[in-house]
Amino acid sequence: MFYDIIVVGGGLTGLRAAVAAHDAGIAKVAVISKIHPVRSHSGAAQGGINAALGNHPDGHDDTPDRHAYDTIKGSDFLADQDAVQIMTSDAPGIIIEMEHWGCPFSRYENGKIAQRPFGGAGFPRTCYGADRTGLYLLHTLYEQGVKRGITVLYERFVTKLAIRDGHCAGVVAMNLHSGEFETIGANAVIWATGGSGRVYSVNTTNAHASTGLGVAIPYWAGIPLKDMEFIQFHPTGLDGSSILMTEGCRGEGGYLLNNVGERFMKNYVSEKVMELAPRDIVARSMQTEINEGRGFEDRYLHLDLRHLGAAKIMERLPGIREIAMNFRNVDPIKEPIPVHPAMHYTMGGVDCDKDGVTVCDGFYAAGECACVSVHGANRLGGNSLLETIVFGARAGYHAAGRVKEMSKTEDEETLDRAKREEADRYKQLRSASGRENPYTIKDELARIMMDKIGIFRNKTDMAKAVSEINILRERMKKIRAIPETGKFNYDFLWVSEIAGNLDTALTIAVGALNRTESRGSHFRRDFNKRLDDQWLKHSMFVYREGEPEISYKPVTMGKYEPEERKY
Amino acid sequence: MAIFKVFRYNPDTEDMAHFQEYQMPDTSSMTVLEGLYYILENLDPTLAFRSSCRQGVCGSCAMHINGQYRLACETQVAAMGEIVTVRPLSHMKIIRDLVVDLTPFFKQFEAIKPYLIDDGNPPEKEYLQSPKDRLKLDHLVDCIFCAACYGSCPVLATDQKYLGPQALLKALRWVDDSRDTATNERLAYLATDYGVFRCHTIFNCQQVCPKDLDPTGAIGKLKMKAIKAKFLGRLKKTGSD
């Protein structure tokens, strides 16, 4: 199989990239995904997507520039300011485009797209469709793919990049429908595999499918990762399952309460901001309440929506009510929702520029698996959906331009060699004689990450985490054999994902241990100040003989000078 | 304690499907999906089932559990009793175990032209749509492609050409969208042999939808709209076949 451009990942980023490449005149575009695109985790995004449309009655004075400032300040000044400016100035246009493509946004009486307030934003600028914004955007883009007849190769599990002399010739994938490895060649590969939340296993809001393998594959191929230590904890994961209770709950006016019924956020931020402080601050405040004994069962706090009234909850937050009832037997109309912070988002990822360009010719990255960076040390709610579409499109257009300059030839030799290597790996996994259960390793990794690379960090714990992850990596070499099932060998899939989790987790842990400051989501008890003199720089990770080699590169500054973050 | 009786079938190596029993540990706060993962991770790594979001929004894990089509991820084992019988969705080819071939399902969705059709001149800003018009789309846009309705539809059991409840629910979403200008073409297509009039109004799809959507009602509305358009002569040119 050979295409002009292949996109790996069928979420919002991947679909938008494919549509862009197609519209830029590329005939043969294919989206490859290990699940069907409509199953992508983009569909679980609830709260909304930011754009300075100025539709909200209090938002007339909003501008892309103010959106950029909020984003840069929210990032604790680690975001590249040029990339942020691009994202925020592209934002209104991409929202309008999605609306023209049929996205069912919620509306104001005057017919315009509705907007709600979100954390860290100076104006209410988060456009939404009830609490199913991601689902509506995902379906809209999938429909645009159908309209254009874009090829979707679903349930193809990509495991390896085929690279020669710094050029990416395509990928190797197991076709789950046949159980066979295939090579899929292309003049350009756009990598859009999403986040790595499952490195934290059950303590995450992420889907089972969102594992660390997405960033591990390019990392193993020698492509650098960036800022991996920055892990966002969403303040409100549902107690028990960590399912996301959208920031829209607080945007619509929901309260956070401790076990004496106090709106404790007033003790941490100004009364103007309260529950709508940025996520890193709210998550830390909540964890402090729990740690100091003001939580329920030492585990969770209350997210109270009752005062919003049944009508508003049913109209704006119907999905939240459904989830709270199905998964925690709580009706938010009548009772507060038990919530605790849960791992939510990976700010770091494959190092790339504003067009998705990486160090590897023909290999682009975009979306959550990439690090442009627009979120820096902490992402504001409503900016991730925006990132997927803006940078998905930009990568698609840039790749299309690049491909038009190239001769269309398939590098069969490189592809075949990569396929042989994967077949060998599969054979080894099939004939392994160890006794370790890989899923035990997955669970132990999750515990290490949650306990030691969590909301509050310190040197001793993180150093322990690094050595324990290394032990798990050794144990992973001694796992039991995976069975031969032919079609849909999910054991092979999940075992490969766990291997990716381990190496991705190691970059997170090593990066966090090395960064001796506190910035955004990275908060160290032993270095609790932001140190711009030493650390206003991106961490870079290169895979060398199995270990992450760290270096640093400067942040692209602009008109906003670093200042203390006060809310 | 619970016993999971799980449908197993590998058409490449087995002549017959069978149920395999697994003795489960404490399942008091376990969902059926968590139970399936417990089996895969601890008892039997050969088990094949789809899943992704585990929060009822991606639609991957629709299956037949104790007599009903449901999402495994939001089904509590405790509510199912001591024996949990898990089978794949019906009316689709079984690829392996609980994984069925969804290709025909997605083809039917594609056949309804599932995208906004306008006159090609969108306004500079958004199309204005009143909250009242937007309300018409509520519940039509919340479908998660789980195919539970498809698997439960007795018409599809015998006639795979029928567009089916999911595609038709989604079709009403475009017919009812104030921004879409292709209403009559859409209705003309939906009124053809394998469209809305093939529905026998059995209500299975409505009964099983895990999102409480109403495909039967949507099909009923489309029938009325198609009949009205036909009476008014609006379907004449494209007509039914």
Side-chain angles (χ1 to χ4, degrees):
Chain A
M1 277 186 281
F2 185 80
Y3 294 87
D4 296 321
I5 293 177
I6 53 177
V7 182
V8 181
L12 281 171
T13 305
L15 291 171
R16 187 64 189 83
V19 165
H22 176 274
D23 290 355
I26 298 298
K28 285 190 78 183
V29 181
V31 174
I32 307 168
S33 175
K34 67 184 172 193
I35 51 181
H36 191 281
V38 298
R39 318 291 193 212
S40 301
H41 199 53
S42 301
Q46 297 162 347
I49 176 165
N50 293 341
L53 293 183
N55 285 356
H56 191 283
D58 299 332
H60 294 310
D61 297 330
D62 200 7
T63 63
D65 204 46
R66 289 180 167 140
H67 182 183
Y69 170 72
D70 289 340
T71 301
I72 291 161
K73 182 181 171 192
S75 83
D76 226 346
F77 296 89
L78 195 71
D80 287 333
Q81 296 194 13
D82 55 342
V84 174
Q85 294 280 3
I86 284 169
M87 181 175 80
T88 60
S89 48
D90 281 5
I94 68 111
I95 295 284
I96 298 302
E97 183 177 64
M98 291 302 294
E99 196 280 332
H100 288 166
W101 285 344
C103 184
F105 287 108
S106 293
R107 303 285 178 156
Y108 287 126
E109 281 303 321
N110 64 11
K112 290 185 174 183
I113 295 168
Q115 295 180 285
R116 59 167 50 130
F118 251 45
F123 296 94
R125 68 164 72 94
T126 305
C127 311
Y128 64 94
D131 56 1
R132 300 188 175 100
T133 317
L135 190 76
Y136 297 161
L137 291 168
L138 180 71
H139 288 179
T140 302
L141 278 177
Y142 174 62
E143 291 155 5
Q144 290 300 308
V146 170
K147 183 179 179 186
R148 289 163 175 76
I150 289 170
T151 304
V152 175
L153 303 171
Y154 67 92
E155 294 175 326
R156 260 70 165 195
F157 176 45
V158 171
T159 56
K160 191 179 176 70
L161 300 179
I163 291 179
R164 177 158 74 173
D165 301 333
H167 175 80
C168 184
V171 299
V172 182
M174 178 179 268
N175 181 343
L176 295 172
H177 288 259
S178 67
E180 304 288 332
F181 282 106
E182 296 170 343
T183 58
I184 308 167
N187 279 328
V189 174
I190 300 175
W191 199 252
T193 56
S196 305
R198 283 281 152 179
V199 164
Y200 287 75
S201 199
V202 291
N203 305 308
T204 177
T205 63
N206 285 201
H208 286 291
S210 302
T211 74
L213 186 62
V215 294
I217 291 172
Y219 170 61
W220 289 331
I223 298 161
L225 306 181
K226 186 164 71 188
D227 291 343
M228 293 300 290
E229 62 269 38
F230 296 103
I231 298 292
Q232 176 164 84
F233 286 79
H234 196 288
T236 55
L238 185 64
D239 177 54
S241 55
S242 293
I243 295 172
L244 177 68
M245 297 286 104
T246 172
E247 188 165 323
C249 294
R250 287 169 285 137
E252 295 293 348
Y255 298 152
L256 288 170
L257 303 173
N258 62 17
N259 66 11
V260 289
E262 179 193 23
R263 277 181 77 189
F264 57 85
M265 282 308 298
K266 68 177 187 296
N267 304 325
Y268 300 90
V269 290
S270 78
E271 298 221 9
K272 263 200 309 204
V273 173
M274 295 295 277
E275 285 86 355
L276 285 176
R279 289 178 180 174
D280 57 334
I281 294 171
V282 181
R284 267 198 301 281
S285 309
M286 288 174 70
Q287 196 59 48
T288 303
E289 291 293 305
I290 295 167
N291 291 351
E292 294 180 357
R294 293 186 293 278
F296 298 89
E297 300 179 51
D298 288 331
R299 199 173 71 223
Y300 59 86
L301 295 157
H302 279 161
L303 172 61
D304 197 350
L305 306 181
R306 289 174 295 180
H307 56 284
L308 303 180
K312 194 168 179 181
I313 292 172
M314 302 288 271
E315 184 205 330
R316 309 267 177 93
L317 302 164
I320 287 302
R321 179 167 183 247
E322 190 183 299
I323 292 170
M325 289 171 75
N326 284 340
F327 290 89
R328 198 54 171 69
N329 207 17
V330 160
D331 181 353
I333 292 173
K334 299 178 194 140
E335 301 151 278
I337 309 171
V339 291
H340 55 65
M343 186 283 168
H344 182 60
Y345 189 87
T346 41
M347 265 76 73
V350 177
D351 179 40
C352 67
D353 78 357
K354 57 190 175 22
D355 295 309
V357 175
T358 70
V359 294
C360 178
D361 180 42
F363 183 82
Y364 292 77
E368 191 176 342
C369 68
C371 181
V372 175
S373 93
V374 285
H375 309 307
N378 170 62
R379 174 176 70 77
L380 294 185
N383 271 351
S384 72
L385 289 181
L386 179 60
E387 175 195 17
T388 61
I389 300 179
V390 167
F391 292 103
R394 293 185 73 90
Y397 288 127
H398 195 282
R402 172 81 184 93
V403 163
K404 282 180 192 164
E405 294 168 3
M406 297 168 72
S407 58
K408 294 179 182 177
T409 51
E410 185 170 2
D411 183 353
E412 282 181 38
E413 196 188 323
T414 303
L415 287 162
D416 287 344
R417 193 182 59 222
K419 185 173 147 185
R420 275 197 307 277
E421 285 169 11
E422 277 311 271
D424 284 348
R425 183 173 76 90
Y426 185 66
K427 213 185 282 172
Q428 273 175 16
L429 285 170
R430 285 271 302 108
S431 59
S433 58
R435 300 205 167 253
E436 292 279 359
N437 180 352
Y439 301 103
T440 309
I441 295 175
K442 179 189 78 173
D443 292 345
E444 288 186 26
L445 175 69
R447 208 165 306 128
I448 294 167
M449 295 305 283
M450 200 61 201
D451 293 349
K452 303 192 170 89
I453 316 286
I455 297 172
F456 292 105
R457 303 171 172 184
N458 67 64
K459 184 181 170 184
T460 321
D461 283 348
M462 289 191 291
K464 252 190 226 157
V466 169
S467 68
E468 286 170 10
I469 294 167
N470 276 318
I471 292 168
L472 292 182
R473 290 165 83 218
E474 286 304 311
R475 283 171 57 190
M476 194 67 192
K477 292 173 187 163
K478 297 171 198 150
I479 55 169
R480 58 156 172 77
I482 62 164
E484 173 64 57
T485 65
K487 298 166 178 172
F488 283 92
N489 191 337
Y490 277 116
D491 193 43
F492 167 69
L493 184 145
W494 290 120
V495 166
S496 303
E497 304 274 9
I498 295 165
N501 280 352
L502 285 167
D503 280 21
T504 297
L506 188 64
T507 63
I508 295 169
V510 169
L513 179 61
N514 272 36
R515 185 176 283 271
T516 50
E517 66 156 353
S518 288
R519 184 184 295 271
S521 67
H522 174 64
F523 189 88
R524 292 187 61 148
R525 293 212 189 268
D526 47 352
F527 292 95
N528 59 12
K529 288 268 177 337
R530 192 179 84 198
L531 303 175
D532 286 340
D533 292 350
Q534 297 168 50
W535 287 108
L536 190 55
K537 56 190 181 187
H538 298 296
S539 308
M540 304 290 293
F541 305 83
V542 180
Y543 187 69
R544 288 232 196 282
E545 292 164 14
E547 302 304 319
E549 184 183 274
I550 294 202
S551 59
Y552 295 92
K553 84 174 185 186
V555 174
T556 304
M557 301 305 289
K559 61 181 172 188
Y560 300 111
E561 287 299 317
E563 64 192 17
E564 194 189 347
R565 263 174 94 213
K566 276 191 183 158
Y567 289 96
Chain B
M1 292 286 281
I3 290 169
F4 269 49
K5 287 171 75 171
V6 183
F7 179 93
R8 302 300 306 270
Y9 182 43
N10 189 341
D12 293 337
T13 56
E14 293 170 306
D15 294 333
M16 290 274 283
H18 65 282
F19 281 92
Q20 193 162 345
E21 286 193 14
Y22 299 97
Q23 189 77 44
M24 304 294 284
D26 176 22
T27 48
S28 53
S29 65
M30 198 183 247
T31 63
V32 172
L33 182 66
E34 286 165 346
L36 295 175
Y37 269 105
Y38 181 85
I39 295 169
L40 174 81
E41 297 184 354
N42 300 287
L43 307 176
D44 186 351
T46 66
L47 182 63
F49 57 93
R50 288 189 175 105
S51 87
S52 181
C53 78
R54 64 81 172 96
Q55 64 182 69
V57 75
C58 81
S60 303
C61 65
M63 45 189 84
H64 189 273
I65 304 163
N66 283 17
Q68 179 75 286
Y69 298 91
R70 317 169 196 260
L71 297 179
C73 70
E74 56 181 30
T75 303
Q76 297 291 332
V77 176
M80 294 291 105
E82 279 171 20
I83 295 177
V84 181
T85 307
V86 186
R87 300 190 307 161
L89 289 177
S90 306
H91 314 334
M92 284 166 273
K93 199 174 79 189
I94 291 158
I95 303 179
R96 207 166 72 72
D97 298 345
L98 301 169
V99 177
V100 296
D101 185 4
L102 290 165
T103 315
F105 169 77
F106 283 111
K107 281 234 163 74
Q108 302 294 49
F109 170 72
E110 288 170 17
I112 60 146
K113 295 192 176 173
Y115 38 82
L116 189 84
I117 297 173
D118 57 13
D119 60 7
N121 288 307
E124 194 182 323
K125 296 216 168 153
E126 68 263 56
Y127 282 107
L128 299 180
Q129 184 174 53
S130 68
K132 200 172 139 218
D133 280 342
R134 171 60 183 77
L135 193 63
K136 289 184 187 163
L137 309 184
D138 255 14
H139 307 298
L140 300 173
V141 289
D142 294 343
C143 166
I144 56 170
F145 294 82
C146 74
C149 60
Y150 192 102
S152 78
C153 173
V155 179
L156 278 162
T158 55
D159 185 356
Q160 297 273 317
K161 285 185 181 164
Y162 171 47
L163 283 171
Q166 192 267 352
L168 292 173
L169 176 101
K170 282 293 207 172
L172 180 63
R173 175 248 182 284
W174 296 111
V175 166
D176 266 0
D177 195 316
S178 61
R179 300 167 292 178
D180 192 276
T181 56
T183 306
N184 290 326
E185 293 94 290
R186 291 184 188 280
L187 288 175
Y189 177 71
L190 298 171
T192 53
D193 283 1
Y194 298 104
V196 287
F197 295 108
R198 183 118 320 189
C199 168
H200 293 200
T201 323
I202 293 159
F203 290 102
N204 277 13
C205 53
Q206 184 208 52
Q207 192 194 337
V208 302
C209 177
K211 297 281 121 183
D212 292 328
L213 310 183
D214 182 11
T216 317
I219 295 167
K221 270 188 199 154
L222 284 171
K223 282 179 181 170
M224 287 190 286
K225 282 173 190 275
I227 290 167
K228 191 174 169 195
K230 187 86 177 167
F231 275 132
L232 294 171
R234 287 180 189 152
L235 302 190
K236 230 184 325 189
K237 276 185 187 155
T238 37
S240 61
D241 59 12

